PDB file of all heavy atoms in Angstrom:
ATOM      1  N   MET A 225      -2.450   2.370  -6.395  1.00  0.00           N
ATOM      2  CA  MET A 225      -3.687   1.854  -6.985  1.00  0.00           C
ATOM      3  C   MET A 225      -4.062   0.528  -6.340  1.00  0.00           C
ATOM      4  O   MET A 225      -3.245  -0.143  -5.721  1.00  0.00           O
ATOM      5  CB  MET A 225      -3.526   1.651  -8.498  1.00  0.00           C
ATOM      6  CG  MET A 225      -2.373   0.756  -8.891  1.00  0.00           C
ATOM      7  SD  MET A 225      -2.469   0.105 -10.584  1.00  0.00           S
ATOM      8  CE  MET A 225      -3.516  -1.340 -10.305  1.00  0.00           C
ATOM      9  N   ARG A 226      -5.336   0.168  -6.498  1.00  0.00           N
ATOM     10  CA  ARG A 226      -5.849  -1.128  -6.035  1.00  0.00           C
ATOM     11  C   ARG A 226      -6.895  -1.628  -7.023  1.00  0.00           C
ATOM     12  O   ARG A 226      -7.602  -0.830  -7.658  1.00  0.00           O
ATOM     13  CB  ARG A 226      -6.506  -1.008  -4.652  1.00  0.00           C
ATOM     14  CG  ARG A 226      -5.623  -0.437  -3.568  1.00  0.00           C
ATOM     15  CD  ARG A 226      -4.603  -1.416  -3.071  1.00  0.00           C
ATOM     16  NE  ARG A 226      -3.717  -0.788  -2.088  1.00  0.00           N
ATOM     17  CZ  ARG A 226      -2.805  -1.442  -1.387  1.00  0.00           C
ATOM     18  NH1 ARG A 226      -2.650  -2.742  -1.556  1.00  0.00           N
ATOM     19  NH2 ARG A 226      -2.035  -0.795  -0.539  1.00  0.00           N
ATOM     20  N   PHE A 227      -7.024  -2.944  -7.107  1.00  0.00           N
ATOM     21  CA  PHE A 227      -8.082  -3.541  -7.907  1.00  0.00           C
ATOM     22  C   PHE A 227      -9.354  -3.676  -7.077  1.00  0.00           C
ATOM     23  O   PHE A 227      -9.304  -3.857  -5.854  1.00  0.00           O
ATOM     24  CB  PHE A 227      -7.667  -4.930  -8.397  1.00  0.00           C
ATOM     25  CG  PHE A 227      -6.835  -4.912  -9.654  1.00  0.00           C
ATOM     26  CD1 PHE A 227      -5.463  -4.826  -9.586  1.00  0.00           C
ATOM     27  CD2 PHE A 227      -7.442  -4.978 -10.907  1.00  0.00           C
ATOM     28  CE1 PHE A 227      -4.690  -4.807 -10.739  1.00  0.00           C
ATOM     29  CE2 PHE A 227      -6.691  -4.958 -12.061  1.00  0.00           C
ATOM     30  CZ  PHE A 227      -5.309  -4.867 -11.985  1.00  0.00           C
ATOM     31  N   SER A 228     -10.500  -3.607  -7.759  1.00  0.00           N
ATOM     32  CA  SER A 228     -11.763  -3.909  -7.104  1.00  0.00           C
ATOM     33  C   SER A 228     -11.788  -5.394  -6.748  1.00  0.00           C
ATOM     34  O   SER A 228     -11.005  -6.197  -7.284  1.00  0.00           O
ATOM     35  CB  SER A 228     -12.935  -3.571  -8.026  1.00  0.00           C
ATOM     36  OG  SER A 228     -12.876  -4.337  -9.228  1.00  0.00           O
ATOM     37  N   LYS A 229     -12.675  -5.792  -5.868  1.00  0.00           N
ATOM     38  CA  LYS A 229     -12.721  -7.184  -5.420  1.00  0.00           C
ATOM     39  C   LYS A 229     -12.985  -8.139  -6.572  1.00  0.00           C
ATOM     40  O   LYS A 229     -12.410  -9.234  -6.627  1.00  0.00           O
ATOM     41  CB  LYS A 229     -13.798  -7.344  -4.335  1.00  0.00           C
ATOM     42  CG  LYS A 229     -13.854  -8.747  -3.759  1.00  0.00           C
ATOM     43  CD  LYS A 229     -14.929  -8.881  -2.696  1.00  0.00           C
ATOM     44  CE  LYS A 229     -14.964 -10.299  -2.141  1.00  0.00           C
ATOM     45  NZ  LYS A 229     -16.011 -10.459  -1.094  1.00  0.00           N
ATOM     46  N   ASP A 230     -13.844  -7.743  -7.534  1.00  0.00           N
ATOM     47  CA  ASP A 230     -14.150  -8.623  -8.658  1.00  0.00           C
ATOM     48  C   ASP A 230     -13.104  -8.556  -9.758  1.00  0.00           C
ATOM     49  O   ASP A 230     -13.183  -9.305 -10.743  1.00  0.00           O
ATOM     50  CB  ASP A 230     -15.544  -8.327  -9.228  1.00  0.00           C
ATOM     51  CG  ASP A 230     -15.683  -6.884  -9.743  1.00  0.00           C
ATOM     52  OD1 ASP A 230     -14.655  -6.188  -9.919  1.00  0.00           O
ATOM     53  OD2 ASP A 230     -16.836  -6.453  -9.968  1.00  0.00           O
ATOM     54  N   GLY A 231     -12.119  -7.661  -9.620  1.00  0.00           N
ATOM     55  CA  GLY A 231     -11.051  -7.570 -10.603  1.00  0.00           C
ATOM     56  C   GLY A 231     -11.412  -6.834 -11.868  1.00  0.00           C
ATOM     57  O   GLY A 231     -10.587  -6.739 -12.787  1.00  0.00           O
ATOM     58  N   ASN A 232     -12.601  -6.259 -11.938  1.00  0.00           N
ATOM     59  CA  ASN A 232     -13.040  -5.583 -13.160  1.00  0.00           C
ATOM     60  C   ASN A 232     -12.591  -4.124 -13.235  1.00  0.00           C
ATOM     61  O   ASN A 232     -12.618  -3.528 -14.322  1.00  0.00           O
ATOM     62  CB  ASN A 232     -14.562  -5.629 -13.275  1.00  0.00           C
ATOM     63  CG  ASN A 232     -15.075  -7.036 -13.511  1.00  0.00           C
ATOM     64  OD1 ASN A 232     -14.389  -7.860 -14.117  1.00  0.00           O
ATOM     65  ND2 ASN A 232     -16.276  -7.325 -13.018  1.00  0.00           N
TER      66      ASN A 232
END
Side-chain angles (χ1 to χ4, degrees):
M225 56 162 275
R226 304 285 176 173
F227 276 89
S228 61
K229 183 180 180 180
D230 60 14
N232 292 330

